[in-house]
Amino acid sequence: MTDQPQPLFSAVDALLAAVDGGGVLPALDERVRLREAAGLTQAAVAQALGVRVASIEAWEAGRAEPKAERLEAYRRLLEGLSRRFPASAAPSASSEAPPRPDPGAAPPSAPAAPSRQAAPVRQPARRPEGKQSAACLHTAAAGGTDPRFENGPLAVVDVEDGQVRAYCTGGLVLDVPAKSLAALVDWTLVEAKLGQPKLSGPGKEADPLLVLTQAALERYGLPVTLTDEERLAGRIPEGHKAVKQLARAHWKLTKRGFGPWARIYRPATGSERACVQVCIPSWNALDARHWGEAGQLPPAELARVLGVYASRVMTPRGSTAVTGLELMTVLHPPTRASRPDADGKRHSEHNPGSLGQNPVDCAPCEAPDGHPLLADLPRFHVRGPAEKLFEEAYDWARPMTDDECMLRHLVGIDVNMAFAAGANGLTVGLGAPTRLERPVFDAKLPGSWLVDLSHVDLSRVKAGKEWVELDGSLLPSPFTPKGEHPEGPAWYATPTVAYAVELGYEVRPIEAYVRHESGRYLDGWYQRLRDAYLATMADLGVDADLTPEDFLTAMDGYQDRDPELAIVVSAIKATVKGGLGKLRERPRGEGWKPGQPWRALSRPTWRPDIRAAVISRTRTNLHRKIVKHAAFTGQYPVAILSDCVVYAANGPSPLDFLPYREGKPLPGGFKLGINPGLVKHEGTQSVLWGEEVRERFNAPELNLARYIKDGTVTDADSGE
């Protein structure tokens, strides 16, 4: 009987030892309090500790705890913050704090003439059953725990039983007293407590976002849908009564006017901003190609979708492409506050590592057709490879060999977030280009190079330190999007030329436009989008540490587990591709004529060279894996479309041709997994299907990668 307490005593002693050794961390609420008291974002803490933002969220929510050296570093941070911000200095809960309302009780009735400073009325959370996953935790904290934004980054405004309500993230519903559009903007800025903390030190907080349903549009005097003329113009007329009402209240609109994504503001006074973003789904603000059925979701569900996206990416400011570009700027603002001068004043100065405030001219070879730099060219002149940088994604296919026709299946694999992976760790130019003649190639210098790569022989290349023999006729060239072998000098981005050197061949550039001011501008952008993608896929049951077999099983039908989160995944992917596409945005009507500047050229983020470098690196990354796979297995791709590669195989699964050994993939080759740069199963069709399709359209090189997912091919697709 005397021995019975010993296990308990041992457990207590172990607990005391953990406390003495610093293995016990403060309570969850205290961790959050300390970080917020210091004004630190979860992203800032994650960056300092070398972990993902999702890890910090998990540590603060109690879903996980740091280990080993990260436990010690996190404890050190919290101890340092506790000395600077002791609990006694924090506002404590007292009798002055308003009592928490009973969730089951009816909301109190509003006074006849509510004060503009009155707190918003909290309604019981209305959350669909089965949606209380980790994603709900993210949406609840989507605006951060900054008290200024305690209700999240956005609200979906709807009218129900005659009452205007704002559906926020985390299931919160607010009563909206505003009777007019101008009053709605005032309410949003004064009472709603909507917004999002800044994502970087020199940056700015995100403006609150209002999403107006059709019922809300009717209530506030806006059209439910746009006319054909308004749709083409991208806005309602300036003479519309709602626009006039805003003007009478001294609110302004940006040059794009009141369209599907509108920005209503007053000029900033000092550091105070007064701006509200507006999203109108029924005006096609949420493109179905990227947002699926989001525009038709009920208000609470739409708030959840947009809230998860906002918490993990950023509050949307327009299309996914616009948001992708804005995210680059938000993470690397062009300016920062200087150190105090002799009078103690701070001034705005260039933020190192950013693209700055002023646009820079591209090199002539980087300019798209119609650019002002090309205004002196003859009217119908077609620039060839020696005049124009043409770095694009793969669109290549070849006829199948007799041996491949004897196999049963065509299996497509797709690289996860391939362009994001191509941006990771990439050094890009930050300033204007410098022209060089007969330069020595330097793989560390971002830019464009005029060089002849026609001597590169794909039948004998270096794979690592060894030369390998391949069937070059079955491989696409890594230097052209169509996979054709170059015939002479052409312009290439730095990663393409560097890959030619990696394959074992000498290069002698004729000319170059290089950028000596450079940096890894896209690293933070990549990390933010990677973390958003992985966190959302984890909520859908696809984790990063699954075995190949379990990963393929988890990916099968993952969209059906939570269709709303599947929409977020689609939007994150579109943010990557759209953001990179915006770096070389073309004219969009507005009476533009070739040789004249267009609006996008006035942005510091109009950088076709950065887009070209990312695409170049993505394409060469893919080719490197193909070469590794061919050298080890003797298998060659049948078709490639962007980030999808099709192989002939005896079985329907990627595991039927990917050379896994004891669960380990080929080093440097394709690896199944959810992380960016790894691959997933895109689709499987029969070899007979592929041959029948090509025969039907008399197209031996029809790109089967385009149709491998569901096998549907139409006459329009084939060009007939």
Side-chain angles (χ1 to χ4, degrees):
M1 187 171 182
T2 57
D3 293 336
Q4 286 182 357
Q6 290 305 317
L8 300 178
F9 293 161
S10 298
V12 170
D13 289 342
L15 185 59
L16 291 173
V19 173
D20 294 338
V24 176
L25 296 171
L28 302 180
D29 290 345
E30 179 67 1
R31 301 178 199 181
V32 175
R33 184 194 73 78
L34 290 171
R35 178 177 57 76
E36 292 172 355
L40 296 173
T41 64
Q42 291 176 330
V45 176
Q47 184 176 9
L49 298 179
V51 297
R52 297 188 294 116
V53 175
S55 297
I56 304 300
E57 294 173 343
W59 297 350
E60 292 184 351
R63 300 193 302 275
E65 292 289 340
K67 298 178 181 179
E69 67 273 8
R70 295 229 162 64
L71 171 61
E72 177 63 24
Y74 190 44
R75 183 184 62 79
R76 182 186 179 93
L77 171 66
L78 295 176
E79 286 182 350
L81 294 178
S82 66
R83 289 193 296 269
R84 292 167 173 79
F85 306 99
S88 58
S92 58
S94 66
S95 58
E96 296 178 3
R100 291 181 177 270
D102 180 358
S109 57
S115 166
R116 294 185 68 205
Q117 299 297 329
V121 177
R122 295 174 182 264
Q123 299 290 346
R126 305 179 182 182
R127 189 178 293 142
E129 292 188 14
K131 299 297 170 74
Q132 301 201 26
S133 64
C136 286
L137 297 174
H138 286 289
T139 57
T145 44
D146 188 317
R148 296 172 299 168
F149 314 127
E150 66 178 32
N151 294 331
L154 56 90
V156 180
V157 181
D158 191 35
V159 180
E160 184 178 324
D161 299 329
Q163 173 62 50
V164 182
R165 292 192 170 92
Y167 291 78
C168 305
T169 56
L172 175 68
V173 184
L174 307 177
D175 280 342
V176 181
K179 303 297 183 184
S180 67
L181 185 59
L184 177 64
V185 177
D186 280 325
W187 172 83
T188 303
L189 293 171
V190 175
E191 300 180 38
K193 295 187 178 181
L194 296 174
Q196 189 176 36
K198 57 187 179 181
L199 297 181
S200 67
K204 298 177 181 178
E205 292 82 3
D207 298 318
L209 173 65
L210 294 181
V211 184
L212 304 183
T213 66
Q214 294 188 23
L217 293 173
E218 291 179 343
R219 169 61 65 93
Y220 291 114
L222 291 164
V224 172
T225 58
L226 298 179
T227 65
D228 291 342
E229 183 178 352
E230 290 168 344
R231 192 177 298 110
L232 287 174
R235 68 190 75 183
I236 58 177
E238 293 183 4
H240 192 281
K241 60 181 181 180
V243 177
K244 289 183 176 180
Q245 177 197 116
L246 291 172
R248 286 195 298 270
H250 306 292
W251 290 107
K252 296 180 178 293
L253 294 166
T254 58
K255 290 183 179 179
R256 65 183 175 184
F258 206 121
W261 289 93
R263 181 170 173 260
I264 305 171
Y265 73 100
R266 287 186 180 127
T269 55
S271 61
E272 293 296 323
R273 289 168 55 81
C275 179
V276 173
Q277 306 277 347
V278 177
C279 166
I280 305 179
S282 65
W283 295 5
N284 199 33
L286 302 175
D287 192 327
R289 293 172 299 175
H290 310 139
W291 290 100
E293 301 298 320
Q296 283 72 53
L297 290 175
E301 285 83 346
L302 179 55
R304 177 179 182 245
V305 168
L306 294 177
V308 173
Y309 180 89
S311 69
R312 292 176 174 173
V313 180
M314 65 176 290
T315 304
R317 296 190 181 183
S319 66
T320 50
V322 168
T323 303
L325 192 70
E326 286 288 335
L327 182 61
M328 296 179 196
T329 304
V330 165
L331 294 172
H332 280 289
T335 60
R336 68 179 183 183
S338 67
R339 292 181 178 276
D341 59 17
D343 297 326
K345 295 182 179 179
R346 296 179 182 268
H347 307 277
S348 177
E349 66 178 15
H350 174 70
N351 183 26
S354 75
L355 298 181
Q357 289 184 287
N358 301 313
V360 297
D361 283 336
C362 61
C365 62
E366 298 163 352
D369 294 338
H371 191 279
L373 288 175
L374 310 176
D376 294 335
L377 288 178
R379 183 176 179 185
F380 296 107
H381 177 73
V382 178
R383 293 187 294 161
E387 299 173 279
K388 179 180 180 180
L389 177 69
F390 192 64
E391 294 283 10
E392 298 295 341
Y394 267 130
D395 185 355
W396 170 86
R398 62 168 175 82
M400 283 185 277
T401 65
D402 292 342
D403 288 342
E404 289 168 339
C405 289
M406 297 299 293
L407 301 175
R408 297 179 59 190
H409 300 281
L410 294 172
V411 184
I413 53 176
D414 182 78
V415 181
N416 294 315
M417 295 186 69
F419 295 101
N424 182 30
L426 178 66
T427 299
V428 300
L430 301 178
T434 300
R435 182 176 179 271
L436 303 176
E437 291 188 11
R438 300 288 176 182
V440 175
F441 176 68
D442 184 350
K444 296 180 180 179
L445 269 181
S448 302
W449 307 78
L450 179 61
V451 59
D452 188 350
L453 299 180
S454 60
H455 62 291
V456 177
D457 183 4
L458 294 180
S459 63
R460 186 173 184 272
V461 299
K462 268 190 174 181
K465 296 182 179 180
E466 298 180 355
W467 288 90
V468 296
E469 305 289 336
L470 301 170
D471 188 342
S473 65
L474 300 181
L475 284 171
S477 168
F479 310 129
T480 61
K482 291 291 185 181
E484 301 162 341
H485 195 73
E487 297 180 351
W491 285 99
Y492 303 102
T494 297
T496 301
V497 185
Y499 185 57
V501 175
E502 180 185 327
L503 292 176
Y505 290 87
E506 184 182 10
V507 297
R508 295 181 179 178
I510 302 167
E511 184 183 357
Y513 286 91
V514 300
R515 291 166 173 84
H516 295 287
E517 183 187 357
S518 61
R520 291 167 55 162
Y521 174 71
L522 295 172
D523 273 11
W525 182 81
Y526 160 76
Q527 291 161 8
R528 180 81 177 171
L529 290 166
R530 174 204 61 193
D531 290 351
Y533 175 69
L534 292 180
T536 311
M537 290 301 295
D539 287 341
L540 287 165
V542 186
D543 294 308
D545 56 356
L546 295 173
T547 65
E549 294 81 5
D550 290 342
F551 168 70
L552 291 174
T553 301
M555 285 295 294
D556 187 17
Y558 74 89
Q559 301 98 326
D560 299 330
R561 293 176 200 135
D562 191 328
E564 292 169 16
L565 288 185
I567 292 174
V568 178
V569 171
S570 173
I572 293 170
K573 293 178 179 178
T575 303
V576 173
K577 291 187 176 180
L580 293 172
K582 278 281 185 181
L583 292 170
R584 200 191 66 159
E585 184 177 356
R586 302 301 304 276
R588 304 178 65 182
E590 302 174 351
W592 174 81
K593 294 181 180 179
Q596 295 179 346
W598 58 92
R599 184 183 299 178
L601 299 187
S602 63
R603 295 194 320 248
T605 49
W606 192 85
R607 292 297 300 273
D609 57 299
I610 295 179
R611 172 186 177 274
V614 173
I615 294 175
S616 164
R617 191 162 186 248
T618 303
R619 195 182 64 246
T620 53
N621 280 350
L622 182 60
H623 196 274
R624 184 181 296 108
K625 295 179 187 296
I626 290 169
V627 167
K628 289 276 188 180
H629 186 87
F632 187 79
T633 67
Q635 299 169 337
Y636 295 84
V638 171
I640 310 174
L641 182 69
S642 187
D643 46 13
C644 176
V645 187
V646 176
Y647 283 91
N650 265 326
S653 167
L655 289 174
D656 291 314
F657 71 92
L658 293 181
Y660 273 82
R661 289 185 174 181
E662 299 179 356
K664 295 183 179 180
L666 173 68
F670 295 108
K671 178 182 178 181
L672 289 166
I674 197 60
N675 279 296
L678 306 188
V679 300
K680 62 180 182 292
H681 184 202
E682 178 69 4
T684 296
Q685 305 297 329
S686 69
V687 167
L688 290 177
W689 164 84
E691 288 298 278
E692 188 275 331
V693 166
R694 285 177 165 178
E695 286 182 11
R696 179 167 27 126
F697 296 111
N698 192 26
E701 297 182 0
L702 183 71
N703 195 333
L704 299 176
R706 193 182 305 275
Y707 318 106
I708 196 70
K709 190 165 189 175
D710 60 13
T712 303
V713 186
T714 66
D715 290 346
D717 291 331
S718 67
E720 293 288 314

